[in-house]
Amino acid sequence: DSGVTQTPKHLITATGQRVTLRCSPRSGDLSVYWYQQSLDQGLQFLIQYYNGEERAKGNILERFSAQQFPDLHSELNLSSLELGDSALYFCASSVASQGTGELFFGEGSRLTVL
Amino acid sequence: KNEVEQSPQNLTAQEGEFITINCSYSVGISALHWLQQHPGGGIVSLFMLSSGKKKHGRLIATINIQEKHSSLHITASHPRDSAVYICAAPTSGSRLTFGEGTQLTVNP
């Protein structure tokens, strides 16, 4: 058990819909990272928050947004969903603000867009 | 060319064999991560290293910063080691770039 909790584990929705994925980091970790893993593109970094502030942005689409709340949990919002958004979405947490701290991954949220 | 590259992409071994997975990167980095992803999809961090060598049980990770190369070794491999092994490096600040992964299958 990594200590990182992601919900929901599975989600099936239709094109055009909006979903919210939630991540609770490990106790004491200030950084939350979001990653997308699709079959054709492997793992890709989406966005990082550190102590409530956006820290780094990767290949995140404009239809996607995220935030980190005062209790440090984070949400990833995906809107106007397309078939190609079907993927595993992972969050990870770390003590460090840079990419040099050990990462603890959640079990992932599997999104299927029909 | 990807900033982080792994080889081989697929590896099949017999139980007990010594396994090596390689990772090379093209930019200066401060640390490198080795991750394991099981068939169910979950990802576990195996190592984070910035120099030298780390060992955990039958797993050994080494890194040569000058040569921009890291290796993950598994000694006395076991079928339960079957998984995808991924190296990742912070190529720009905290933005991790991932290798494509190595699918390891260990047969009994």
Side-chain angles (χ1 to χ4, degrees):
Chain A
D1 182 9
S2 67
V4 178
T5 304
Q6 279 189 255
T7 57
K9 286 190 169 41
H10 300 275
L11 193 52
I12 301 173
T13 189
T15 54
Q17 295 297 304
R18 182 180 190 275
V19 298
T20 297
L21 310 180
R22 183 188 167 104
C23 172
S24 293
R26 210 175 56 120
S27 178
D29 286 355
L30 299 179
S31 270
V32 171
Y33 300 80
W34 285 99
Y35 302 99
Q36 179 193 55
Q37 186 178 38
S38 56
L39 277 175
D40 58 344
Q41 293 212 332
L43 269 165
Q44 300 236 327
F45 167 70
L46 294 178
I47 196 164
Q48 179 208 1
Y49 282 83
Y50 179 78
N51 202 20
E53 301 288 328
E54 183 184 303
R55 187 70 183 222
K57 214 167 190 176
N59 303 321
I60 187 166
L61 299 171
E62 284 191 11
R63 299 183 286 108
F64 296 179
S65 65
Q67 55 183 327
Q68 186 179 29
F69 294 86
D71 67 352
L72 299 178
H73 92 270
S74 178
E75 292 181 356
L76 178 67
N77 301 297
L78 315 175
S79 61
S80 303
L81 285 168
E82 301 175 1
L83 296 177
D85 298 328
S86 296
L88 258 175
Y89 292 85
F90 287 99
C91 81
S93 74
S94 174
V95 168
S97 59
Q98 298 292 321
T100 54
E102 186 176 359
L103 293 170
F104 297 87
F105 284 81
E107 292 185 355
S109 293
R110 186 176 295 276
L111 173 67
T112 303
V113 182
L114 300 176
Chain B
K1 185 172 162 60
N2 293 335
E3 291 176 306
V4 178
E5 293 199 329
Q6 275 183 249
S7 63
Q9 282 191 322
N10 294 282
L11 183 54
T12 300
Q14 287 301 120
E15 184 173 354
E17 286 185 3
F18 181 84
I19 286 160
T20 296
I21 299 170
N22 295 300
C23 178
S24 60
Y25 48 93
S26 57
V27 297
I29 62 170
S30 52
L32 185 131
H33 300 258
W34 280 102
L35 311 172
Q36 179 191 55
Q37 186 170 27
H38 277 282
I43 296 176
V44 174
S45 175
L46 297 175
F47 296 102
M48 188 200 65
L49 65 166
S50 54
S51 65
K53 178 176 166 178
K54 283 191 176 180
K55 184 175 190 288
H56 185 248
R58 295 179 295 104
L59 301 177
I60 303 166
T62 63
I63 190 167
N64 185 318
I65 295 290
Q66 287 78 20
E67 294 186 5
K68 294 187 170 61
H69 181 268
S70 177
S71 293
L72 176 68
H73 305 286
I74 305 175
T75 61
S77 59
H78 190 276
R80 65 174 175 266
D81 297 326
S82 298
V84 176
Y85 293 83
I86 303 167
C87 67
T91 53
S92 174
S94 52
R95 177 179 174 157
L96 271 187
T97 299
F98 296 86
E100 291 184 357
T102 296
Q103 173 70 63
L104 172 65
T105 303
V106 181
N107 294 317

